[in-house]
Amino acid sequence: MESAAARPRPVLTAGSVLPEDADRAALVARVHDPEGDGPCVAAVRGERVVDLTALAPTVSGLMERDDAATVVREADGKRAWRLDDLLQAPPGRRDVPHLLAPVDLQVIKAAGVTFARSLLERVVEERAGGDPAQAARVRARVGQVVGGRLDGIRPGSPEAARVKELLVSEGLWSQYLEVGIGPDPEVFTKAPVLSAVGTGADIGVLGASAWNNPEPEAVLVVDSRGRVRGATLGNDVNLRDVEGRSALLLSRAKDNNASCAIGPFVRVLDEDFGLDAVRGLDIDLRVDGADGYVLRGGSSLREISRDVLDLVAATHGAHHQYPDGFVLFTGTLFAPTEDRKAPGEGFTHEYGDVVRISSPRLGALVNTVVPSEEAAPWTFGVGALMRSLARRGVL
């Protein structure tokens, strides 16, 4: 197998990753700084990335400020980097400045099965027992029974309860349908604090997985009071064969080295980019294989089954608090059924795939697929962050 280091990498530029209205956006980045041997919180202002660490040592702390958007737009920084230089730096190198995932102390949560169309693919995974060879047969059977009955259905409603009764009678009820149309959404911890990778980095797929796909999602950035303060993009890598064997293997399927990508920047909510703009986000996906294979897809929050604030309320409240805030993957409409290799087996990643997740108002998150076992080891945790900030005198 070709090593991860030997594979060609996409060339990223400011123009290829910035939102189309970047001149009006309050954008937050994190930059690895070799001088302090740790991350800096920064504002993206055109092609300049301005260090704000002296004012806001962590993104989590910045999101607690009511004036976060003003700070990002106007605060003076000690120094700045060229965005192109950060994007073109070798990822993972501790001796050169480069972009990191733009979140830090926030807990990384994810909501699953939030789109009616994609939840049927979760049922297919379960019924196929994680075997891609069985997927086409199961998909046809589920489609025959369910048809368009899930279109426009409101989770937890009496109509949803009637659909549940029908599916039970047909022997097709599933735990995925329970969280998809039942009263309670699926919310799980996607990855440990500080483990996410940013744009330009490798993204990991477990070496043992033979059926997997990217999951392009909008990611909410929420403060300790449960207020949505910003949004970004994410790839909630999905190992369909692992989770399809048993939902109890969710952690094995979702939480592996470099299996969570977030970025490129957090766009802070303001008068120009509010919650309604988040609700209207369209997300595009493109996968380019080293063999010339191209997959296109997408997702739209316009079609989500549960409102984003309902997902936040299911995560944060009297039942659970997050003193450093959290980020929340909102789920995806995308569920690839296109065959890449053998007929009926659908899509799965090949190592070296370049995954580009983009949205006009959030920019582009770009990563290269490698085995999780070959991705850069995760070595910088909370303790390392605290020591780095203390050395720099900003705590």
Side-chain angles (χ1 to χ4, degrees), residues 12 47 81-90 97-99:
L12 303 181
E47 296 192 8
W81 301 269
R82 289 183 67 248
L83 180 54
D84 279 343
D85 291 342
L86 298 175
L87 290 167
Q88 292 164 20
H98 59 271
L99 287 179

Side-chain angles (χ1 to χ4, degrees), residues 114-134:
T114 54
F115 291 82
R117 194 191 315 169
S118 64
L119 82 83
L120 294 181
E121 280 301 304
R122 303 288 84 79
V123 178
V124 170
E125 290 168 16
E126 181 185 47
R127 293 281 163 171
D131 180 3
Q134 301 299 317

Side-chain angles (χ1 to χ4, degrees), residues 12-14 17-18 28-34 39-44 48-50 81-93 96-103 196-202 262-266 364-367:
L12 303 181
T13 65
V17 304
L18 283 169
V28 179
R30 282 173 71 241
V31 177
H32 169 73
D33 172 32
C40 294
V41 178
V44 182
R48 294 179 69 246
V49 181
V50 179
W81 301 269
R82 289 183 67 248
L83 180 54
D84 279 343
D85 291 342
L86 298 175
L87 290 167
Q88 292 164 20
R93 284 267 299 273
V96 291
H98 59 271
L99 287 179
L100 303 168
V103 298
V197 300
T199 201
D202 291 333
I262 298 175
F265 319 112
V266 171
L365 173 65
V366 185
N367 303 99

Side-chain angles (χ1 to χ4, degrees), residues 19 25-29 59 63 102-103 106 217-223 227-234 262-270 273-283 301 308 312 326-330 359-365:
L27 300 174
V28 179
V59 177
M63 292 298 103
V103 298
Q106 298 98 329
E217 304 189 21
V219 180
L220 307 177
V221 180
V222 187
D223 70 9
R227 301 180 302 170
V228 179
R229 302 307 311 281
T232 184
L233 296 168
I262 298 175
F265 319 112
V266 171
R267 181 163 186 168
V268 182
L269 266 59
D270 57 17
F273 183 74
L275 268 177
D276 283 341
V278 173
R279 291 183 175 106
L281 287 172
D282 293 317
I283 300 171
L301 261 69
V308 293
V312 170
F326 62 98
V327 296
L328 180 62
F329 282 73
T330 55
S359 187
R361 306 199 72 183
L362 295 178
L365 173 65

Side-chain angles (χ1 to χ4, degrees), residues 8 10 34 43 48 51 146 154 194 204 217 238 247 257 272 278 333-334 377:
R48 294 179 69 246
D51 184 6
V146 178
R154 184 168 59 85
L194 286 174
E217 304 189 21
N238 183 32
N257 193 33
D272 188 57
V278 173
L333 183 64
F334 176 73

